[in-house]
Amino acid sequence: MEPENNKPLISVTNEKEQEAVAEAVLFTMGKSVEVGQLAAAMGTDVPTARSAILRLQARYNRKGKGVGLQIIELDNAFQMCTRPDYYENLIQVAAAPKRQVLTEVMLETLSIIAYRQPVTKLEIEKIRGVKSDHAVNKLIEYNLVYEVGRLDAPGRPALFATTEEFLRRFGIGSTVDLPGLNPELEEEIKTEVEKELQMKMEEEERENEADCEIL
């Protein structure tokens, strides 16, 4: 974004003013803002901007229930949002839909995606032992999961991963903050999925051979 009238942006060196700039940008944007963008708004480097945001975040946290807003960190970005304590108060006056309810099946599916991402439906279903189309589709609808690409395997199955909304919803700064998964269970899952993919490849090869014989 170019400064008004193309005037060069003067670096903000006063700590209180840096916090004020961060507060103004986060409030105005209404979504997560990368630290680099906040640094550009202050005319400072990234470490200086991060320090300012963390001071501002600490100031909001110290106020506790005395303020209705908070600042959260999401994968090297920050966002100003409402404290969850006041959600019920907000829906009394806002025309907002009811908070989506995650069923046990959806939570189970979401957990698998969070730990194994990027992951295919085949892998999810192998772990759960049942079809997961409905659960995955609902998670996509709730903006907790999205299609991140395609696996280089027969059929080019879609790969799914968690979204930034997932981090916000569960109060996680990054997926690296998720509790560790049992290594033995992780290896078992990996082995089973690799076997399943190999079987599909062999089946496809047999079908191709049969087609060639017919021709």
Side-chain angles (χ1 to χ4, degrees):
M1 181 183 295
E2 290 291 332
E4 188 177 356
N5 299 325
N6 294 320
K7 293 180 180 178
L9 185 64
I10 298 174
S11 176
V12 180
T13 57
N14 181 279
E15 290 190 350
K16 289 297 182 185
E17 289 186 4
Q18 290 172 353
E19 293 172 30
V21 170
E23 186 175 40
V25 172
L26 293 176
F27 177 80
T28 302
M29 295 303 292
K31 61 181 181 180
S32 63
V33 181
E34 293 182 358
V35 180
Q37 294 175 297
L38 289 163
M42 298 178 199
T44 61
D45 55 32
V46 169
T48 300
R50 173 174 281 277
S51 295
I53 302 160
L54 292 176
R55 289 195 306 272
L56 180 64
Q57 183 184 52
R59 180 146 57 88
Y60 272 86
N61 289 340
R62 282 196 299 271
K63 292 178 181 179
K65 288 197 173 183
V67 66
L69 301 173
Q70 64 177 342
I71 294 173
I72 59 175
E73 183 173 2
L74 302 161
D75 275 342
N76 203 38
F78 289 83
Q79 179 172 353
M80 179 178 287
C81 57
T82 306
R83 287 188 181 277
D85 313 63
Y86 302 109
Y87 180 79
E88 293 299 327
N89 303 90
L90 282 173
I91 62 176
Q92 299 301 318
V93 293
K98 291 184 178 179
R99 190 179 182 88
Q100 300 106 333
V101 177
L102 297 178
T103 64
E104 185 176 341
V105 170
M106 291 168 64
L107 283 171
E108 184 179 304
T109 304
L110 182 59
S111 298
I112 294 169
I113 295 172
Y115 278 100
R116 298 292 302 168
Q117 61 185 306
V119 61
T120 66
K121 284 184 183 177
L122 171 64
E123 188 172 357
I124 296 169
E125 291 165 2
K126 189 66 180 177
I127 296 169
R128 295 193 60 236
V130 294
K131 281 286 189 181
S132 300
D133 291 321
H134 178 73
V136 171
N137 290 339
K138 292 301 288 185
L139 292 172
I140 292 173
E141 180 185 328
Y142 291 170
N143 193 29
L144 296 173
V145 165
Y146 75 112
E147 184 179 319
V148 72
R150 294 275 172 173
L151 184 66
D152 187 14
R156 301 280 294 168
L159 289 163
F160 298 95
T162 52
T163 63
E164 192 177 81
E165 176 61 24
F166 164 78
L167 299 178
R168 275 193 292 270
R169 181 80 175 262
F170 292 91
I172 303 170
S174 170
T175 51
V176 298
D177 297 330
L178 289 167
L181 187 65
N182 185 319
E184 293 181 2
L185 177 59
E186 185 172 3
E187 188 59 34
E188 181 183 342
I189 291 169
K190 182 179 178 182
T191 301
E192 289 296 328
V193 172
E194 287 176 348
K195 285 182 181 177
E196 188 75 17
L197 286 172
Q198 183 61 34
M199 289 172 61
K200 282 192 172 291
M201 290 176 68
E202 292 173 355
E203 182 180 343
E204 186 170 288
E205 287 176 2
R206 287 195 297 270
E207 289 176 354
N208 290 337
E209 289 173 0
D211 291 340
C212 289
E213 290 177 1
I214 292 173
L215 294 173

